[in-house]
Amino acid sequence: MTPIQTGLLAYGMSGRIFHAPFLAAHAGFELRAVVERSRKQMQATYPHVISYDSVPDLLNDPAIELVVVNTPNDSHFSLAMDALRAGKHVLIEKPVGTSAADIDALYALGREMNRHVFGYQNRRWDSDFMAVRQVVESGQLGQLIEVHIRFDRYKAAIHTKVFKEEPTTPGAGLNYDLGPHILDQALSLFGPPAEFRRTFGSFRPNSRVTDYFQAHLLYPSGLNVYLTTSLLVADPGPAYVLHGTRGSLRKGRTDVQEPQLDGGLSPLADTYGVEPAEAAGTLTLMNEAGEKTVSILEPLRGNYMGLFEAVYQAIRAGQPYPITEEDLRTQLEILQS
């Protein structure tokens, strides 16, 4: 099958780290074009790529089939709608929109235009989360009672990009920044909750947007899932803590892909995505006699190429894409304040 001609709407950090290396390395894609309004940088690394001055210029390129929307949060929805109207499939960075209504409109237009809408939720392919999924699906923990997923940083300073700190800008705040990652991980494991509760906080000096967010998801089985993200955690604990009727699991946020990609490592390298052995999590199981067994998890290899492979299979082979419309709609229902 012919490669999917793909255009990037920006070549900032996300374009350089999370998209271009995979679109260039995957044989099923051809990275054709990028939008660079001022500084023309991409051709230094990808000399064959066309650098357009504006989004309309790129959308008017008839060869492009897939558009990656990786611009600031407040523009995701409108640019994705423009791309769909131009007859392109869209891969949209998180948050895909800023409300559940945005999700409804995107997918409705996608169906009308016979084009795919893909949410970019790369953290499903983090090595740490893949290890957690493996344990959950094995059933070793028994009936799950309590799950905690955290994504923390320490960034007390106000961001220099004004749109990230302006409360009137759609998609501003930590709930829309790191919140989509942990919500998607929870929804991919457990599905939509029966009900949810949320806490929004703003604690950094001079902060005007959410910099602390917690969601409590309640499930009919009695499972309670707590999702927390904060910009004021100087000493992060485990990213994943799970307790069930037969045992517990603790795992740090140990995926190495982002720093590797930032350092220029190819996704095709043998060492790409491989966790260091010392980063392994701990699985503690209890048998019927009350005896405890503690084991160290085998390090897994994270690989965001899995997401791009899923996009390729959906476009070229009609396979279902794992991040569903229901996933994204539920996510936005919980994130929007």
Side-chain angles (χ1 to χ4, degrees):
M1 295 183 184
T2 58
I4 299 167
Q5 300 289 319
T6 305
L8 275 176
L9 292 193
Y11 191 61
M13 187 273 282
S14 75
R16 179 176 62 85
I17 293 177
F18 294 116
H19 297 290
F22 299 94
L23 293 168
H26 193 300
F29 295 90
E30 183 169 328
L31 183 51
R32 175 177 171 83
V34 66
V35 175
E36 294 177 295
R37 292 174 179 81
S38 52
R39 291 185 297 169
K40 303 289 186 176
Q41 304 178 91
M42 193 170 185
Q43 288 177 341
T45 305
Y46 305 96
H48 66 285
V49 170
I50 302 167
S51 181
Y52 286 115
D53 295 330
S54 71
V55 171
D57 288 342
L58 185 143
L59 296 184
N60 286 331
D61 184 335
I64 291 177
E65 297 176 71
L66 171 68
V67 169
V68 179
V69 181
N70 61 323
T71 51
N73 290 358
D74 60 318
S75 65
H76 288 179
F77 172 70
S78 60
L79 291 177
M81 293 289 280
D82 288 345
L84 287 169
R85 293 189 189 101
K88 318 298 186 186
H89 305 291
V90 288
L91 174 61
I92 313 167
E93 273 274 10
K94 56 81 189 168
V96 170
T98 57
S99 69
D102 287 352
I103 304 301
D104 294 340
L106 281 164
Y107 278 86
L109 182 57
R111 284 186 283 269
E112 179 185 334
M113 300 298 297
N114 194 28
R115 292 296 180 266
H116 289 282
V117 176
F118 302 111
Y120 180 82
Q121 295 284 176
N122 61 317
R123 299 293 178 177
R124 290 196 189 191
W125 286 268
D126 276 357
S127 58
D128 42 51
F129 178 67
M130 291 167 66
V132 170
R133 178 188 291 281
Q134 189 175 83
V135 172
V136 169
E137 293 180 348
S138 74
Q140 294 177 87
L141 297 177
Q143 180 183 343
L144 285 172
I145 300 166
E146 184 178 346
V147 171
H148 296 262
I149 303 178
R150 298 191 65 106
F151 200 155
D152 296 318
R153 291 173 175 162
Y154 188 86
K155 292 187 175 181
I158 300 301
H159 205 289
T160 55
K161 293 182 178 178
V162 176
F163 68 86
K164 287 181 175 284
E165 302 286 354
E166 174 52 60
T168 61
T169 300
L174 193 61
N175 49 317
Y176 286 111
D177 185 15
L178 298 183
H181 290 315
I182 53 179
L183 261 168
D184 181 69
Q185 290 182 338
L187 294 173
S188 74
L189 282 178
F190 309 117
E195 57 180 299
F196 60 85
R197 301 161 188 163
R198 303 163 304 167
T199 300
F200 300 88
S202 183
F203 299 101
R204 295 168 302 155
N206 303 312
S207 177
R208 301 169 61 216
V209 297
T210 297
D211 52 35
Y212 174 89
F213 173 71
Q214 184 180 76
H216 175 193
L217 312 184
L218 298 92
Y219 288 85
S221 65
L223 171 64
N224 289 276
V225 177
Y226 299 91
L227 310 173
T228 308
T229 181
S230 172
L231 288 181
L232 291 175
V233 176
D235 183 21
Y240 308 93
V241 178
L242 294 80
H243 301 297
T245 55
R246 297 178 186 169
S248 299
L249 171 66
R250 292 178 182 271
K251 183 82 173 80
R253 191 163 293 282
T254 52
D255 187 85
V256 297
Q257 292 180 85
E258 184 172 344
Q260 285 182 334
L261 292 163
D262 196 19
L265 187 69
S266 167
L268 302 179
D270 290 341
T271 56
Y272 176 78
V274 180
E275 284 188 1
E278 61 270 20
T282 303
L283 178 63
T284 303
L285 300 177
M286 305 293 294
N287 64 20
E288 293 181 358
E291 298 166 330
K292 180 187 294 186
T293 302
V294 180
S295 58
I296 304 302
L297 298 180
E298 287 289 327
L300 298 182
R301 180 181 184 180
N303 195 349
Y304 299 150
M305 192 68 85
L307 183 147
F308 291 90
E309 176 64 14
V311 170
Y312 176 79
Q313 291 297 333
I315 293 176
R316 287 290 186 257
Q319 296 299 311
Y321 186 65
I323 296 112
T324 66
E325 178 180 0
E326 180 186 35
D327 291 339
L328 295 172
R329 194 180 198 286
T330 301
Q331 180 187 119
L332 267 298
E333 287 176 346
I334 297 170
L335 287 176
Q336 62 190 92
S337 56

